[in-house]
């Protein structure tokens, strides 16, 4: 159809702002997406919202783009609003999957992201078949954000605690969907340009909404985005342990464990694993291109460190398999 836009122009990226204080990692997404939309007026924005944007710390997005409604009742609603809100996760994610000529964002409570899985997976499969046929999809990448996650929803017990979404997406081809665990504001900010510059590729970001310390500076955040993991600290000693953290809260606890080991003069290396799929065994020639560069895995996880402890957001079997 002449009106269909399937390969939009490359978006202009806003200036990245990094912080050195404690804050919600979602603040990075909130600021970046508002500025991205402002810098690219020719790309229609669409936000899928099955929960509460304010609760998920996307207040700036809400004020700038507004809920779409038939009859506005306040300044956060408009008939031409860009935020599609419905208590139906499949409906809101499908609204964004259909907006192939624009800029998209979906944020949900992690436990309810599972309801999006079928629609997302069909899109990934079709885009992969397009690539294999030599006609790769041209739509701009965007993030599915699983926030208010398992480690922040203890008061609601298991109804709000489910890591299935990220685990299932790790089963898909890594060149079609990245599964990422940014630990702080800076690591989230550093990831966003590469996500929105990609073509025919989604990203699942599992990230906290509560305030978190600044773990990484700008240079470290950039290295994490490039390599998928980083050495946080190291203490020399006999028979050192390899400590691996995947998830913001997991990194905090591993740093406590490292401090205890140091007091006991036990050696260790602490590695933060932001993108587990970068270190998997490739399943075909396209997936090889989405893995960590040659030598990165050996440098971060050397064979000489045989005793390993992995503290992970996911179920342990899934994480260990990767």
């Amino acid at each position: 159809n002449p009106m269909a836009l399937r390969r939009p122009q490359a978006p202009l990226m806003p200036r990245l702002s990094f912080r050195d204080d404690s804050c919600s990692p979602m603040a990075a997404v909130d600021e970046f997406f508002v500025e991205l939309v402002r810098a690219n007026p020719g790309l229609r924005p669409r936000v899928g919202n099955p929960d509460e944007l304010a609760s998920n710390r996307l207040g700036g997005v809400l004020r700038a783009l507004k809920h779409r409604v038939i009859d506005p009742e306040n300044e956060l609603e408009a008939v031409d609003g860009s935020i599609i809100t419905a208590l139906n996760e499949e409906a809101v994610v499908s609204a964004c999957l259909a907006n192939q000529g624009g800029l998209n964002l979906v944020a949900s409570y992690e436990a309810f992201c599972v309801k999006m899985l079928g629609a997302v997976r069909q899109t990934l499969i079709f885009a992969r078949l397009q690539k294999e046929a030599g006609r790769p999809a041209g739509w701009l990448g965007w993030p599915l954000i699983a926030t208010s996650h398992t480690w922040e929803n203890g008061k609601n017990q298991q109804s709000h605690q489910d890591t299935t979404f990220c685990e299932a997406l790790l089963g898909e081809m890594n060149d079609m969907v990245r599964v990422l665990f940014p630990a702080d504001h800076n690591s989230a900010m550093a990831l966003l340009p590469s996500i929105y510059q990609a073509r025919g590729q989604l990203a699942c970001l599992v990230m906290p909404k509560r305030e978190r310390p600044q773990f990484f500076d700008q240079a470290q955040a950039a290295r994490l985005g490039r390599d998928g993991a980083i050495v946080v600290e190291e203490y020399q000693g006999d028979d050192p342990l390899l400590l691996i953290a995947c998830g913001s809260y997991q990194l905090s606890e591993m740093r406590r464990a490292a401090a205890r080991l140091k007091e006991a003069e036990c050696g260790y290396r602490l590695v933060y694993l932001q993108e587990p799929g970068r270190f998997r065994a490739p399943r075909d020639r396209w997936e090889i291109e989405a893995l960590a560069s040659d030598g990165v895995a050996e440098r971060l996880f050397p064979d000489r460190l045989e005793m390993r402890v992995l503290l992970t957001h996911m179920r342990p079997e899934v994480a260990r398999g990767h």
Side-chain angles (χ1 to χ4, degrees):
N1 189 296
M3 294 180 65
L5 177 62
R6 292 290 177 263
R7 182 168 286 276
Q9 64 188 31
L12 297 173
M13 289 294 121
R15 184 181 64 85
L16 303 184
S17 59
F18 295 91
R19 299 174 59 162
D20 58 5
D21 60 333
S22 295
C23 66
S24 168
M26 290 296 292
V29 178
D30 193 43
E31 176 185 340
F32 181 90
F33 192 71
V34 170
E35 293 302 320
L36 180 68
V37 169
R38 186 174 292 137
N40 296 277
L43 296 174
R44 176 177 58 186
R46 186 169 280 174
V47 179
N49 172 46
D51 301 309
E52 304 172 60
L53 279 182
S55 171
N56 284 331
R57 310 295 175 91
L58 291 173
V61 170
L62 179 55
R63 290 187 295 275
L65 299 180
K66 307 186 188 311
H67 294 294
R68 177 173 296 188
V69 298
I70 296 172
D71 185 13
E73 295 179 355
N74 57 56
E75 71 278 2
L76 300 179
E77 298 179 350
V79 294
D80 60 349
S82 297
I83 300 170
I84 309 302
T85 301
L87 288 176
N88 182 324
E89 288 78 1
E90 187 175 26
V92 298
V93 78
S94 295
C96 290
L97 292 172
N99 185 35
Q100 294 193 359
L103 302 168
N104 298 285
L105 172 66
V106 168
S108 175
Y109 283 32
E110 181 184 37
F112 306 134
C113 283
V114 182
K115 301 175 190 176
M116 303 179 185
L117 191 53
V120 169
R121 190 165 180 271
Q122 294 306 314
T123 294
L124 296 174
I125 291 170
F126 187 70
R128 183 46 126 81
L129 292 174
Q130 287 179 283
K131 177 188 282 191
E132 293 174 8
R135 300 190 299 273
W139 45 266
L140 298 171
W142 49 275
L144 297 134
I145 301 178
T147 187
S148 298
H149 63 50
T150 289
W151 301 96
E152 293 185 327
N153 266 319
K155 70 178 185 296
N156 292 313
Q157 300 182 36
Q158 286 181 306
S159 72
H160 283 55
Q161 293 179 303
D162 190 350
T163 56
T164 296
F165 190 63
C166 63
E167 295 165 359
L169 290 180
L170 273 171
E172 300 304 316
M173 305 306 284
N174 208 59
D175 58 314
M176 306 312 299
V177 59
R178 301 171 68 189
V179 180
L180 301 149
F181 298 85
D184 64 0
H185 175 281
N186 290 348
S187 52
M189 183 66 78
L191 284 170
L192 291 167
S194 64
I195 291 171
Y196 279 102
Q197 288 169 331
R199 299 275 181 172
Q201 180 189 66
L202 297 175
C204 168
L205 272 67
V206 182
M207 54 196 290
K209 68 176 182 182
R210 294 180 185 164
E211 288 192 357
R212 301 296 295 146
Q214 181 231 327
F215 293 115
F216 305 109
D217 61 24
Q218 180 177 348
Q220 291 170 320
R223 193 177 315 130
L224 255 177
R226 183 183 68 244
D227 293 344
I230 193 172
V231 176
V232 179
E233 58 183 83
E234 197 161 13
Y235 180 70
Q236 299 300 321
D238 295 332
D239 298 321
L241 281 168
L242 178 57
L243 307 177
I244 306 169
C246 180
S248 181
Y249 293 100
Q250 289 74 13
L251 179 55
S252 290
E253 297 307 310
M254 273 302 201
R255 292 180 73 185
R256 290 179 61 202
R260 294 286 295 276
L261 288 170
K262 193 171 186 178
E263 289 174 7
E265 297 185 354
C266 295
Y268 65 84
R269 169 183 285 191
L270 173 55
V271 174
Y272 186 67
L273 179 60
Q274 178 172 266
E275 191 171 355
R278 296 285 290 278
F279 300 95
R280 71 182 312 150
R283 290 166 288 184
D284 64 13
R285 63 184 179 89
W286 287 284
E287 197 169 39
I288 291 175
E289 299 172 5
L291 301 185
S293 302
D294 289 344
V296 171
E298 293 77 8
R299 174 171 54 81
L300 293 170
F301 311 104
D303 290 338
R304 62 182 173 81
L305 300 178
E306 295 181 352
M307 295 184 290
R308 303 179 175 204
V309 181
L310 172 60
L311 190 59
T312 173
H313 178 92
M314 298 172 282
R315 293 175 176 92
E317 298 82 1
V318 178
R320 189 183 184 198
H322 278 79

